[in-house]
Amino acid sequence: MNLSERLNEDMKQAMKSKDKFKLSTIRLVRSTIKNLEIDLKRPLDDNEVLDILSREIKQRKDALQEFDKAGRTELAENAKAEIDIISQYLPAQLSEEEIKVIVQQTIQETGASSKAEMGKVMSALMPKVKGKADGKLVNQAVQQFLQ
């Protein structure tokens, strides 16, 4: 079962169990997927759906920070709950240690030795950790090793 099918099945389950919050969150994600499918005039593959899910989580994390700054606890709790729901569809996240190992391997593979070559490292690294790690953590790890 691919991610789109899994989202559809979970949406049906949320309808049956009358879980309105989960249902609305899944519907928002599905509408983003559907809009991109309409724009591209083809169904999306799992990698493209993963990109969308990652982007949705990033948007909610950014909003969560703003809600926390503004003291809007109710909105922050909603954003956290949405992140939890969407995270269920992403692959298991890599730990910081695993990220560091992958970063070191990629730096050795690319032969990078300075921050000027960070773009080369990131372009080789991101496909390896796609959907499995937060881009900020990966970026920080690369900067740490290229100092």
Side-chain angles (χ1 to χ4, degrees), residues 45-57:
D45 63 19
D46 274 355
N47 282 334
E48 292 168 319
V49 173
L50 270 177
D51 285 343
I52 290 172
L53 293 173
S54 297
R55 193 175 15 202
E56 292 290 320
I57 286 179

Side-chain angles (χ1 to χ4, degrees), residues 99-141:
I99 292 171
K100 287 180 181 180
V101 169
I102 294 171
V103 167
Q104 286 176 323
Q105 290 172 349
T106 307
I107 288 173
Q108 288 175 353
E109 289 169 8
T110 59
S113 59
S114 69
K115 275 194 173 183
E117 298 172 296
M118 189 169 164
K120 183 166 80 170
V121 174
M122 290 298 288
S123 63
L125 181 63
M126 288 312 286
K128 296 178 184 179
V129 298
K130 187 176 194 171
K132 298 177 191 171
D134 182 23
K136 276 185 186 175
L137 290 175
V138 174
N139 191 320
Q140 290 169 353

Side-chain angles (χ1 to χ4, degrees), residues 1-12 46:
M1 178 182 300
N2 68 24
L3 282 173
S4 294
E5 292 169 352
R6 194 169 147 215
L7 281 164
N8 286 335
E9 289 302 313
D10 287 353
M11 185 181 74
K12 291 175 189 174
D46 274 355

Side-chain angles (χ1 to χ4, degrees), residues 9-135:
E9 289 302 313
D10 287 353
M11 185 181 74
K12 291 175 189 174
Q13 282 300 105
M15 282 184 209
K16 290 177 184 174
S17 64
K18 297 190 181 357
D19 185 347
K20 290 182 181 179
F21 189 78
K22 185 173 184 175
L23 178 62
S24 69
T25 303
I26 292 173
R27 279 184 172 160
L28 282 171
V29 172
R30 285 191 65 238
S31 71
T32 305
I33 292 168
K34 194 68 175 167
N35 287 336
L36 188 57
E37 286 178 341
I38 290 169
D39 290 345
L40 297 175
K41 296 180 173 101
R42 64 175 174 79
L44 300 180
D45 63 19
D46 274 355
N47 282 334
E48 292 168 319
V49 173
L50 270 177
D51 285 343
I52 290 172
L53 293 173
S54 297
R55 193 175 15 202
E56 292 290 320
I57 286 179
K58 184 179 183 322
Q59 287 174 352
R60 283 161 178 80
K61 283 182 179 178
D62 292 345
L64 179 63
Q65 288 177 343
E66 295 301 318
F67 294 148
D68 284 340
K69 283 182 191 173
R72 303 289 308 265
T73 56
E74 182 182 318
L75 293 175
E77 289 172 12
N78 284 347
K80 285 178 190 173
E82 287 179 350
I83 289 169
D84 291 341
I85 291 169
I86 298 169
S87 295
Q88 296 171 7
Y89 302 99
L90 293 177
Q93 298 294 297
L94 297 171
S95 69
E96 283 190 44
E97 291 304 314
E98 292 170 319
I99 292 171
K100 287 180 181 180
V101 169
I102 294 171
V103 167
Q104 286 176 323
Q105 290 172 349
T106 307
I107 288 173
Q108 288 175 353
E109 289 169 8
T110 59
S113 59
S114 69
K115 275 194 173 183
E117 298 172 296
M118 189 169 164
K120 183 166 80 170
V121 174
M122 290 298 288
S123 63
L125 181 63
M126 288 312 286
K128 296 178 184 179
V129 298
K130 187 176 194 171
K132 298 177 191 171
D134 182 23

